Amino acid sequence: MATYKGRGAPSNLPGRFESTLRQAEDDGWTPTLEEEGRPPTAVRVEQARSILSRNDSPDIPFEVSLNPYRGCEHGCVYCYARPSHAYLDLSPGLDFETRLVAKPGAAVLLRTELCKPGYRPSPIALGSNTDLYQPIERDWRITRELLEVLAEARHPFSFVTKSALVERDLDLLAPLAEQGLVHAFVTITTLDRELARKLEPRAAAPQRRLEVIRNLNQAGIPVGVMVAPVIPALTDKDMEQILAHASEAGARSAGYVFLRLPHELKALFTEWLQTHYPLKAEHVMSLIRQSRDGRENDPQFGSRMSGSGPFAELLAKRFRLAKARYGLDQGMPSHKLDLFRPPAAQRTLF
């Protein structure tokens, strides 16, 4: 199986809604992915008609979310959002990290939503599906525009990222934190740099993410660490050390998620294991099945985030003890909801 520099997925496996099966053939004219060695990133624009999504899932700690991008160039092979690319008639594999969708009108739509009569604020989770600070944000700056609208409206929000690009927006985030409006979370999956390069090739290095936690904390922004996903026999060994280093850097809370493999992600992750860790592959999958009632994935509320069975229970106990040991059980301060004021209405020339 070929691997592509800077990319996580080994292939472009078909999405579950595709009605046709495509197979590349070499006609001698067009370079193949193997010859190019580095599939390029392409970004198309989506003219969205709405921007806020609402959910009532009992195991998700937010009701409202906003995603400025579809797909994610970080290329994390384990990303639970990969199957969503099938709705675009694209592959959850390489397409998810190379054929991206940007929503440049997101800030205008958000402003319109916040100006509606009767709007009641609830903390918005930014980038709940894909990272709001992925590399293309440097050029598109959609996240920056969203923060400016939220700052004007004094609206509470939270976000999770693996990127150091968040430091660009400290000038906005720090004053919002002083008003009790922002919670930041940084995901650290492993401390092993070589493993991280294979798992999440275009995300910041683990040690750089610890520095991001430190810088957010020093700027007065409440920050937590997410150990996610925990992959048995591959990343779970780092759990306690991640919490120890994150606490030392200034994190005040912590959470974890057991690896989820919905839809096409089961085949994609198995393919990745066979490519990079063939001798460990069956052991990893065996532990996953032991923790998912004999299956590769469990979609049930309550158990889908943590797993079940002896191995999952041991992980939960380890996490609980380490979280208490390193003072990461203090939690985040409550979001302020009473400061909200509708932003100025969008002005047009016509």
Side-chain angles (χ1 to χ4, degrees):
M1 180 65 65
T3 58
Y4 306 105
K5 185 175 181 181
R7 302 300 182 186
S11 70
N12 240 345
L13 81 173
R16 62 193 181 283
F17 301 121
E18 294 188 31
S19 59
T20 58
L21 180 64
R22 297 185 293 271
Q23 181 174 331
E25 294 290 344
D26 183 8
D27 59 6
W29 290 92
T30 305
T32 63
L33 284 177
E34 287 81 359
E35 291 169 338
E36 292 177 348
R38 187 177 296 183
T41 298
V43 183
R44 69 175 175 85
V45 169
E46 176 182 325
Q47 300 296 346
R49 289 178 292 181
S50 61
I51 200 64
L52 295 182
S53 299
R54 290 175 170 81
N55 82 88
D56 57 2
S57 302
D59 55 359
I60 295 180
F62 55 83
E63 297 177 356
V64 186
S65 62
L66 190 165
N67 290 284
Y69 303 104
R70 297 182 190 266
C72 185
E73 201 176 6
H74 281 159
C76 306
V77 72
Y78 51 72
C79 183
Y80 65 85
R82 281 183 178 272
S84 64
H85 238 46
Y87 292 108
L88 304 177
D89 201 24
L90 295 171
S91 170
L94 283 168
D95 281 352
F96 178 79
E97 52 195 282
T98 61
R99 299 177 68 179
L100 311 178
V101 177
K103 305 175 187 178
V108 173
L109 290 171
L110 176 61
R111 182 181 294 275
T112 300
E113 187 75 24
L114 301 186
C115 286
K116 288 182 178 179
Y119 176 84
R120 295 293 180 268
S122 177
I124 297 174
L126 297 179
S128 59
N129 209 40
T130 57
D131 203 310
L132 72 167
Y133 283 110
Q134 61 177 285
I136 60 172
E137 166 63 16
R138 294 185 185 279
D139 296 323
W140 287 83
R141 298 177 67 84
I142 300 172
T143 297
R144 175 79 185 190
E145 293 175 358
L146 290 169
L147 294 184
E148 290 170 348
V149 174
L150 292 169
E152 182 183 342
R154 296 190 293 197
H155 195 293
F157 65 96
S158 63
F159 64 86
V160 184
T161 187
K162 297 185 181 80
S163 175
L165 183 56
V166 62
E167 295 171 350
R168 177 201 66 186
D169 293 336
L170 288 178
D171 62 317
L172 288 173
L173 294 171
L176 289 168
E178 289 181 0
Q179 300 174 68
L181 297 174
V182 58
H183 293 169
F185 296 88
V186 177
T187 299
I188 302 178
T189 312
T190 177
L191 296 176
D192 184 332
R193 294 174 70 98
E194 181 180 354
L195 174 58
R197 280 195 294 269
K198 296 172 183 176
L199 271 175
E200 38 200 28
R202 297 200 177 193
Q207 289 71 24
R208 182 67 177 93
R209 285 179 240 175
L210 287 169
E211 186 179 342
V212 170
I213 291 176
R214 189 181 307 280
N215 292 337
L216 288 170
N217 177 62
Q218 290 179 349
I221 300 161
V223 57
V225 62
M226 289 297 300
V227 186
V230 176
I231 305 175
L234 208 59
T235 68
D236 66 285
K237 60 181 173 58
D238 288 340
M239 179 186 287
E240 287 83 358
Q241 285 301 303
I242 291 172
L243 295 184
H245 287 296
S247 174
E248 190 276 331
R252 63 172 68 190
S253 71
Y256 82 100
V257 177
F258 192 85
L259 177 67
R260 298 169 57 195
L261 296 176
H263 303 298
E264 297 92 342
L265 194 52
K266 292 189 287 289
L268 188 69
F269 183 73
T270 302
E271 182 182 66
W272 179 89
L273 278 174
Q274 292 289 353
T275 301
H276 294 284
Y277 296 97
L279 300 181
K280 286 187 175 183
E282 181 49 40
H283 183 45
V284 173
M285 295 307 298
S286 174
L287 289 172
I288 290 172
R289 288 189 290 270
Q290 291 175 41
S291 304
R292 295 296 190 192
D293 198 24
R295 299 170 294 175
E296 283 82 15
N297 188 57
D298 174 13
Q300 297 300 314
F301 293 135
S303 58
R304 62 176 181 162
M305 299 295 187
S306 57
S308 58
F311 184 82
E313 291 171 4
L314 177 61
L315 279 182
K317 183 176 182 179
R318 286 174 53 194
F319 188 84
R320 184 174 64 254
L321 292 174
K323 184 177 174 180
R325 181 185 313 133
Y326 298 115
L328 291 166
D329 50 2
Q330 56 185 304
M332 292 291 210
S334 298
H335 276 117
K336 292 287 185 66
L337 298 173
D338 56 352
L339 300 179
F340 173 74
R341 60 188 179 192
Q346 183 73 23
R347 295 185 178 89
T348 64
L349 297 176
F350 304 99

